[in-house]
Amino acid sequence: MVRQDLQDRRTATVRAWTSFMARPDSQLPVRPEILTSWHRSRGAVDVDTVAAAPLADEGDTRSFWRDSPLQVGVERVEAELRRTAEDGDLVIGITDRETRVLWTYGGRVMRRRAETVNFVPGGRWDDESVGTNALDLANRSSAPAMVFSAEHFAPFVHSWVCWAAPVHDPVTGGQLGVIDLSTTWDRTHPIGLATARVLATLIEQAMPRSRLLVPDEETGDPGLVMTLLGNAEVRLDGQRLLLTRRQTEVLALLALHPDGLSLEQLHAALYGDHAVTFSTLKAEVSHLRHALGGQLASRPYRLLMPVASDIEHVLALLRRGQVGPAVEAYGGDLLPGTDSPALVEMGEYVAVAVREALLADPQPDAVVRYAELAPYDTEVVERCLAVVGRHPAVPLLKARLAAARD
């Protein structure tokens, strides 16, 4: 028999949802993130007609999954994921950053339920497609989320409870998507959200790390390693590539767009409004493809090998709050002198991110290092001196400040 408190909770959520559908502006006893999503869903989803998630292109979904580091991570821990789903009669799903389902596995009962609502690879579970759900909330907030019964906007999942947690790239720190655990509302358990977090961590730890700036000595995986901040250098499988300035810029743009760029997009990102023919760009790409041993696809242009850059490394460290290591890894401006609009914009973004991190957390040793790269940025040095107190770096910082003012 269902616990009475769980039944009461379900009754309350159904009552709140019914009130919202009648009067969206009324005061309701629901969590703020649920109410915000309900309002967003209300303008996009017709609850009288939607009965399943829309499906994305099957080929695109399969191709994306095949090339995603998520696929490797899930394969390596698939036995654990399947066991969890079967033991708890759950359906487990993995999504991309757009909340498109890439992989699922379900226990006997939930597998059938999932198939009827397109909780299957290709299913689009963003809240503008199917309304409020835990997968979308976790993707939007970059934090674990739970949605119970009628907290879902669409009635076809009012009988569900879902727990979702973000999954991050272990190399860049960027969010790749979410893992979601779903079952029927009457099987709600306090450990559900914790289980989602644990499985997310399990996948993250199983994902390949060969894109790290230091090659993986255990696996010996090949890869492209790019130093772009300050002095540019590109190495393939440990060997330095002799590239022209433009070829390095093309390679940098492709590294920053792992999903690929069309000829037109790459041209605009590289040349902006300059009158340069497509043939010139195609020639640059052809030289690059030869230098990379053919590991550069067309339509779209996309690198076909593990890639690491100091840009992603610095940004990943900043995302994790590791300001000192981020500044140590920051070599200066991105390809100084570049006139590529996209690279100029990215360079400004990285520079501002480093600077703002130091203003928020002015670690003396990191500020000393930063002052060598940006000697006229006195605000960062002044901020550090205002809060640091006694520290061996203080004389160096004062000297830097004096030199900048002369």
Side-chain angles (χ1 to χ4, degrees):
M1 183 174 181
V2 177
R3 296 196 312 271
Q4 187 61 46
D5 57 344
L6 205 55
Q7 179 65 64
D8 291 345
R9 182 179 178 183
R10 172 173 163 78
T11 300
T13 62
V14 171
R15 185 180 297 119
W17 179 86
T18 303
S19 298
F20 174 84
M21 298 306 294
R23 294 184 54 192
D25 57 345
S26 58
Q27 296 293 318
L28 299 169
V30 296
R31 291 176 285 151
E33 63 268 29
I34 297 294
L35 188 58
T36 298
S37 181
W38 278 0
H39 280 289
R40 191 163 50 239
S41 303
R42 182 170 175 268
V45 177
D46 183 352
V47 297
D48 294 327
T49 60
V50 65
L55 291 170
D57 182 81
E58 182 180 353
D60 287 347
T61 302
R62 187 166 53 247
S63 176
F64 185 92
W65 174 241
R66 184 179 62 245
D67 296 337
S68 171
L70 283 167
Q71 190 259 354
V72 179
V74 168
E75 275 193 353
R76 290 176 175 175
V77 299
E78 187 168 349
E80 181 66 30
L81 297 178
R82 287 174 176 264
R83 185 162 51 250
T84 300
E86 289 166 357
D87 290 349
D89 199 15
L90 304 162
V91 59
I92 297 179
I94 307 293
T95 81
D96 63 10
R97 195 66 180 87
E98 305 304 317
T99 325
R100 173 182 54 172
V101 177
L102 301 173
W103 178 92
T104 63
Y105 184 81
R108 182 177 54 83
V109 174
M110 286 306 299
R111 181 168 59 248
R112 290 198 300 270
R113 287 176 177 265
E115 289 169 352
T116 63
V117 298
N118 286 341
F119 192 88
V120 294
R124 289 167 39 202
W125 283 78
D126 56 285
D127 66 5
E128 293 183 354
S129 294
V130 295
T132 307
N133 64 86
L135 300 86
D136 180 87
L137 286 181
N139 247 335
R140 286 180 181 273
S141 66
S142 298
M146 171 189 179
V147 175
F148 172 80
S149 184
E151 288 181 334
H152 291 92
F153 185 75
F156 73 87
V157 276
H158 278 188
S159 61
W160 288 38
V161 59
C162 304
W163 304 275
V167 180
H168 297 90
D169 189 312
V171 176
T172 68
Q175 186 175 322
L176 297 173
V178 302
I179 180 170
D180 176 86
L181 284 62
S182 297
T183 187
T184 54
W185 69 268
D186 54 311
R187 297 174 66 86
T188 299
H189 195 284
I191 203 173
L193 204 56
T195 303
R197 290 193 193 101
V198 168
L199 293 180
T201 301
L202 199 65
I203 294 170
E204 290 170 352
Q205 293 173 343
M207 276 192 278
R209 297 171 180 266
S210 58
R211 291 165 296 143
L212 288 166
L213 285 174
V214 179
D216 191 327
E217 296 180 358
E218 292 184 3
T219 65
D221 285 346
L224 189 69
V225 179
M226 305 185 67
T227 301
L228 301 170
L229 300 172
N231 296 321
E233 181 178 278
V234 179
R235 290 184 176 272
L236 177 60
D237 301 345
Q239 300 297 313
R240 184 172 183 178
L241 296 182
L242 298 179
L243 304 175
T244 67
R245 171 82 173 203
R246 277 302 189 198
Q247 289 165 1
T248 301
E249 290 173 338
V250 171
L251 205 50
L253 289 167
L254 294 177
L256 292 169
H257 296 84
D259 292 334
L261 294 169
S262 68
L263 176 64
E264 293 77 11
Q265 289 171 327
L266 183 57
H267 188 281
L270 183 62
Y271 300 115
D273 295 330
H274 291 274
V276 180
T277 65
F278 286 133
S279 296
T280 298
L281 176 56
K282 288 180 179 179
E284 298 284 14
V285 173
S286 179
H287 286 302
L288 267 179
R289 184 178 290 111
H290 178 73
L292 299 175
Q295 296 295 296
L296 199 167
S298 300
R299 301 179 183 176
Y301 291 127
R302 182 168 60 90
L303 295 171
L304 300 175
M305 65 183 73
V307 182
S309 77
D310 52 352
I311 297 173
E312 291 299 331
H313 186 51
V314 168
L315 294 177
L317 291 169
L318 291 177
R319 291 187 193 101
R320 296 195 291 266
Q322 297 175 260
V323 178
V327 175
E328 186 64 31
Y330 177 65
D333 293 339
L334 193 163
L335 294 178
T338 182
D339 58 359
S340 158
L343 292 178
V344 168
E345 182 179 356
M346 175 56 74
E348 291 175 351
Y349 174 78
V350 176
V352 170
V354 170
R355 185 177 188 274
E356 290 298 319
L358 281 172
L359 288 172
D361 184 11
Q363 300 173 18
D365 292 334
V367 173
V368 169
R369 162 69 175 160
Y370 175 78
E372 295 171 357
L373 301 169
Y376 299 104
D377 191 348
T378 58
E379 184 180 356
V380 173
V381 177
E382 290 170 345
R383 167 66 177 157
C384 183
L385 288 171
V387 301
V388 69
R390 296 174 60 87
H391 191 278
V394 167
L396 295 174
L397 293 171
K398 289 183 176 180
R400 278 289 177 190
L401 197 58
R405 289 171 173 170
D406 286 344

